[in-house]
Amino acid sequence: EAGCGAGRILRYYHERGYDITGIDFIEVAIEKLRDADSTLKVETGDITKLRFPDGTFRYLLAFGLYHNLEHDLDKAIDESWRVLSGGGRLCASFRADNLQTWLTDWLADRKSRRIGETTGSSFHKCNLTRREFTALFERAGFVVESVGPVENMPILYKFAFFRARDHKKFDENKARAEGYRLSMFGQWLQHLLMRHFPDQFCNIYVMIARKP
């Protein structure tokens, strides 16, 4: 898993007996994982320049990684291709360039201005449409098998009016643990949005691609 972060996915597969290696650019994250479980195979690494030989891995997972690499994106995808074996598959997510993302960023920016914070422009996440996301990996030689819109945190959850009764007060830890629960009306409206406008109201696209 490239960009394993706090290790939620890595540990899920490790605990089920899979031989999985986690890499992350942030050394502190890797140290915390080692402290939590010394049996984990984890190391600090840069997805644009990995130490592994060609064709090392059968599968590569990369969730929420590539959209942080605006300037080195092509290098990261090429390196992902290199370390996969022939016939190997990649499963990756990417931040969608759509109305949902625009609204989320606008709300975050407005909140920051309200409390006197400055958002700055030193760190920027890259957003792509489904077609752009697909084209990047095809250009690197991947055969894209599927790209689908995924709803992570519904945009309606940003507004207390649409949340479930016991979620009216925003609590990120509770939302992550229980899911971003909406009221009956919120569920109905979110279902309608995702049914008719999935490319505009998804959070991310998830791709499965194969190296021939």
Side-chain angles (χ1 to χ4, degrees), residues 78-189:
D78 287 343
E79 189 70 345
S80 301
W81 164 275
R82 185 187 68 78
V83 298
L84 271 176
S85 61
R89 280 179 167 79
L90 174 144
C91 183
S93 68
F94 206 103
R95 201 169 186 251
D97 184 7
N98 61 8
L99 182 59
Q100 159 108 348
T101 299
W102 183 87
L103 285 170
T104 298
D105 289 346
W106 180 78
L107 289 169
D109 185 55
R110 191 178 71 162
K111 180 180 178 181
S112 295
R113 288 199 305 269
R114 189 171 64 245
I115 62 178
E117 293 181 351
T118 56
T119 55
S121 57
S122 58
F123 183 75
H124 173 68
K125 294 190 177 193
C126 184
N127 308 322
L128 292 178
T129 64
R130 184 200 297 249
R131 181 177 297 179
E132 290 168 336
F133 188 30
T134 301
L136 277 171
F137 285 84
E138 289 180 338
R139 187 161 62 240
F142 284 98
V143 175
V144 175
E145 298 182 339
S146 66
V147 181
V150 173
E151 170 193 354
N152 183 1
M153 177 180 175
I155 188 64
L156 297 181
Y157 194 83
K158 295 283 186 180
F159 305 94
F161 175 80
F162 294 109
R163 294 184 209 137
R165 182 174 299 176
D166 57 344
H167 279 238
K168 291 298 183 184
K169 183 178 180 181
F170 184 81
D171 183 331
E172 182 66 26
N173 292 328
K174 182 176 182 178
R176 286 181 178 270
E178 299 181 5
Y180 299 97
R181 294 172 54 194
L182 299 171
S183 66
M184 290 290 289
F185 175 67
Q187 291 177 48
W188 175 82
L189 182 55

Side-chain angles (χ1 to χ4, degrees), residues 195-206:
R195 180 177 180 182
H196 295 286
F197 311 102
D199 285 315
Q200 289 302 319
F201 289 96
C202 65
N203 298 92
I204 58 173
Y205 291 113
V206 172

Side-chain angles (χ1 to χ4, degrees), residues 15-36:
E15 290 166 3
R16 284 156 180 77
Y18 290 90
D19 180 14
I20 183 169
T21 299
I23 67 164
D24 200 281
F25 188 72
I26 301 174
E27 190 170 352
V28 173
I30 296 300
E31 290 174 353
K32 287 183 177 181
L33 283 171
R34 286 180 179 143
D35 291 341

